[in-house]
């Protein structure tokens, strides 16, 4: 499920709730448009509320380090680190 948060008629945040089957899911593609970082909490809370309404019991999220405090403040628990690798295809 893909969502877009509007403030005063302008899109400010996006987020995707992935239903992984059973009682598990994930939050992905969550982004905040420049100048609207204060609305990140709103999108995550909405996605968590939607997950609860679908009777999910566990969510996973991949987060950039600068948003870690937001997820921790919403009850997420850090369980590890992920390394990302890139290759230029020429």
């Amino acid at each position: 499920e893909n969502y877009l948060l509007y403030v005063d008629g302008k899109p400010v945040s996006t987020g995707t709730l992935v239903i992984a089957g059973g009682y598990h899911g994930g939050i992905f593609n969550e982004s905040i448009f420049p100048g609207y970082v204060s609305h990140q909490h709103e999108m995550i809370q909405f996605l968590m509320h939607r997950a609860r309404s679908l009777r999910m019991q566990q969510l996973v999220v991949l987060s950039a380090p600068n948003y870690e405090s937001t997820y921790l403040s919403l009850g997420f628990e850090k369980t590890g680190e992920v390394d990302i690798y890139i290759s230029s295809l020429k």
Side-chain angles (χ1 to χ4, degrees):
E1 302 180 352
N2 300 301
Y3 294 95
L4 188 58
L5 174 67
Y6 286 86
V7 172
D8 298 326
K10 296 179 184 178
V12 300
S13 179
T14 65
T16 299
L17 179 65
V18 174
I19 303 163
Y23 298 104
H24 304 283
I27 295 175
F28 297 97
N29 304 324
E30 198 264 323
S31 65
I32 307 297
F33 297 117
Y36 293 95
V37 175
S38 62
H39 293 283
Q40 182 188 30
H41 246 82
E42 294 171 59
M43 177 57 80
I44 301 304
Q45 286 178 315
F46 169 79
L47 293 170
M48 291 172 72
H49 174 75
R50 177 67 180 138
R52 284 186 199 99
S53 74
L54 294 170
R55 300 180 190 264
M56 288 185 194
Q57 295 177 2
Q58 188 175 54
L59 284 174
V60 66
V61 64
L62 299 175
S63 174
N66 52 327
Y67 296 123
E68 183 177 335
S69 63
T70 298
Y71 290 103
L72 293 174
S73 72
L74 291 169
F76 285 85
E77 178 182 321
K78 185 174 182 176
T79 60
E81 302 268 340
V82 174
D83 292 323
I84 298 175
Y85 301 87
I86 189 168
S87 173
S88 296
L89 301 175
K90 296 179 183 181

